[in-house]
Amino acid sequence: MIAKLFLTLAAALLAALLFTPESFTEVFRPLTHNNAPPIYLQTSLLRLTLSHLALVGIAVTASTLVAVAGGVLVTRPAGREFLPLARTITSVGQTFPPVAVLALAVPAMGFGAGPTLVALFLYGLLPVFENTLTALSTLPPSVLEAARGMGLTRRQRLWQVELPLALPVILAGVRLTAVISLATATIGSTVAAKTLGEVIIAGLLSANPAFVVQGGLITGLLAILIYEAFQRLESWSAHRAGLIRPQ
């Protein structure tokens, strides 16, 4: 009950910040100095948020598709020899700082959303890949044997048995990737991508903490709501796969 109330309040606060930011003028005014504006109005907060979510959504979708495909490949008999290579490739995004990816991508792709998408894509591969690998590698042998006994082909076993059972664990990896990408996307504004980082950077450049708090608060509220949405999706998929009995 308390959790639902908290999420409702978080959603209401986020909606108010995005649709009526001027109503928070007096709330943020104490954070300003020398009559600096308390609310960031250079670009619509709603527009920046939608752009931010679009970048994250595209990157997470691409990371998920590639990582799940890679996880499926290395758990098949013909692809097991590629597991070390796949792990090395997916680990690069986590070990290589996103800022460095941006610095390398800008000369080739120019300023804008492109370099940010590349950085988020690479950064999001590892959690989904490792969760996919774990989920597909730890399926109950009795279930797989029963599927074989029913005469299902390898493709049918994958789509009708293995992936549905693995989905909750895969979604947990996607949840982690989404939350990480949501926060990491703010650095995209350093290369002219339209993200909530624009508000934070404006606050840092003008020594206006009110802007920094606004950008950080919206990003934090989005992370909380997305995290909860994925948790509910994981629970639904677990119920649907029969991994959790309805109460």
Side-chain angles (χ1 to χ4, degrees), residues 24 47 52 64 86 117 124 138 165 185 237 243:
F24 291 87
R47 185 177 303 172
H52 189 108
T64 299
L117 286 172
T138 57
L165 290 174
S237 63
L243 300 175

Side-chain angles (χ1 to χ4, degrees), residues 48-174:
L48 284 177
T49 300
L50 292 177
S51 176
H52 189 108
L53 288 174
L55 283 174
V56 172
I58 293 171
V60 170
T61 299
S63 296
T64 299
L65 292 175
V66 173
V68 171
V72 170
L73 173 65
V74 299
T75 54
R76 305 303 98 181
R80 284 174 185 160
E81 61 182 295
F82 297 104
L83 176 57
L85 176 62
R87 271 204 163 121
T88 300
I89 293 174
T90 56
S91 297
V92 168
Q94 291 284 332
T95 56
F96 209 60
V99 174
V101 176
L102 291 178
L104 292 173
V106 165
M109 305 179 68
F111 288 91
T116 305
L117 286 172
V118 172
L120 295 180
F121 168 76
L122 293 175
Y123 209 60
L125 287 173
L126 186 61
V128 182
F129 175 78
E130 287 295 338
N131 277 40
T132 302
L133 183 62
T134 299
L136 293 175
S137 300
T138 57
L139 293 174
S142 58
V143 175
L144 299 179
E145 189 60 34
R148 292 189 191 96
M150 294 172 60
L152 297 179
T153 65
R154 289 183 178 180
R155 180 174 295 181
Q156 288 173 328
R157 290 199 301 268
L158 174 64
W159 288 102
Q160 298 179 26
V161 179
E162 295 182 54
L163 286 178
L165 290 174
L167 186 58
V169 179
I170 294 174
L171 285 173
V174 179

Side-chain angles (χ1 to χ4, degrees), residues 9-30:
L9 291 175
L13 177 58
L14 178 62
L17 280 168
L18 296 181
F19 290 99
T20 59
E22 297 86 355
S23 61
F24 291 87
T25 298
E26 297 306 319
V27 175
F28 290 109
R29 192 179 299 281

Side-chain angles (χ1 to χ4, degrees), residues 210-233:
F211 290 174
V212 178
V213 171
Q214 283 166 55
L217 181 58
I218 294 173
T219 304
L221 290 172
L222 286 171
I224 291 172
L225 295 174
I226 289 174
Y227 185 94
E228 179 62 23
F230 270 104
Q231 277 201 321
R232 295 191 179 189
L233 189 57

